[in-house]
Amino acid sequence: MITEIAQIEILPGQEEDFEQAVAEARPLFLAADGCHGIDLRRSVEHPTRYRLIVQWETLEHHTVTFRGSEGFTRWRALAGPHFAAPPQVEHVYSVLAP
């Protein structure tokens, strides 16, 4: 399992609209091949900073399958207008035994 962590800076004053856009896009992620869940977290210290956290079966399910899909295009159309800068995306995996 791979976890995508995207740090997203939002234009000031557009936080509520961005959160609504992510809520609308959530089914697009959940319908994507290899997606096992999605969460959105907002920073307490920096209220225009969010972390989008998505669980993927493999790295390729995100970087190839999802990014090449209509779902990704729709996601960016919904959320992209609220971005203050391009998202910073990192992929991680757990190193602790369950």
Side-chain angles (χ1 to χ4, degrees), residues 18-73:
F18 172 69
E19 290 173 18
Q20 290 175 356
V22 175
E24 187 175 336
R26 187 173 189 262
L28 302 171
F29 283 89
L30 295 176
D33 187 37
C35 182
H36 292 273
I38 179 175
D39 192 16
L40 182 67
R41 309 262 175 124
R42 186 174 182 182
S43 173
V44 173
E45 291 83 8
H46 306 280
T48 58
R49 182 176 298 159
Y50 290 81
R51 301 288 191 306
L52 179 71
I53 303 164
V54 186
Q55 300 293 325
W56 296 102
E57 196 169 314
T58 67
L59 178 65
E60 291 74 20
H61 279 106
H62 175 227
T63 60
V64 177
T65 307
F66 183 63
R67 283 192 181 168
S69 73
E70 280 296 316
F72 178 78
T73 302

